[in-house]
Amino acid sequence: MQAADRGHTRWGIVLAFLALPVVVLGVLIIGLSLWAWTDDDEARGGTRAGAAATVPCTEALAFGAAERPANARAHDCTVQRGIDTSYAAVLRMPREDVRGWLRETYPNAPKPRTGGGACGALCLDVTHENGLPGTAEAHVVQVRVEYENAETALVRFSAFTM
């Protein structure tokens, strides 16, 4: 039996130790590749494409070439980015100031329409073709107004690209 043992080598053990780093390195490379190719930004600490993110209200309004009215409280200002960009803001302001703010902000736009249903108490849709100022980054601005009571209006402002 000594002759059979003499031809036996320990390459099996050496190969096992050499294969372990190669397998670990391969798993790391595959894992990093999959992580880099995913479009889930939340896993990296960002927001998903298409998910709404909170922004300063001045930024949301400026995208549609608007400023916060002096007597308005702005809140719930968001942006969604994907193929297009969409900003939204909610304003609470004196009901009597709404039409003046719209006229001042969009002087070349059509008159706001009144209606009900989806429009609410007052609606305004403005594009570059019908009165949106050249300073607006948005292609369209939509304003929807609901009267909360005799003094207060809830204004939903959205500005987006198409």
Side-chain angles (χ1 to χ4, degrees):
M1 286 269 197
Q2 281 187 343
D5 288 337
R6 190 180 285 173
H8 180 72
T9 61
R10 294 192 173 106
W11 280 109
I13 295 172
V14 172
L15 288 177
F17 279 113
L18 290 177
L20 183 64
V22 171
V23 169
V24 170
L25 186 60
V27 168
L28 285 174
I29 289 172
I30 290 170
L32 285 173
S33 297
L34 291 174
W35 177 77
W37 281 60
T38 183
D39 63 350
D40 188 4
D41 289 338
E42 278 187 290
R44 290 180 233 146
T47 57
R48 276 189 339 267
T54 302
V55 295
C57 291
T58 54
E59 178 182 329
L61 293 167
F63 192 74
E67 293 181 4
R68 184 178 61 83
N71 295 329
R73 290 186 331 246
H75 55 91
D76 295 335
C77 299
T78 59
V79 64
Q80 286 184 292
R81 291 187 175 95
I83 294 173
D84 298 313
T85 301
S86 176
Y87 280 87
V90 177
L91 307 168
R92 277 200 168 73
M93 61 190 295
R95 185 173 163 168
E96 62 195 27
D97 294 349
V98 173
R99 287 182 187 267
W101 174 67
L102 290 173
R103 268 192 311 275
E104 183 180 304
T105 304
Y106 305 111
N108 300 319
K111 288 185 177 184
R113 46 186 209 283
T114 58
C119 179
L122 196 64
C123 291
L124 179 66
D125 296 320
V126 189
T127 65
H128 283 289
E129 290 79 28
N130 73 351
L132 193 60
T135 57
E137 294 178 60
H139 299 147
V140 178
V141 170
Q142 293 180 330
V143 180
R144 303 293 181 259
V145 181
E146 299 170 25
Y147 296 140
E148 291 187 320
N149 55 41
E151 294 94 28
T152 308
L154 178 70
V155 179
R156 297 185 191 282
F157 175 92
S158 63
F160 52 92
T161 58
M162 297 190 332

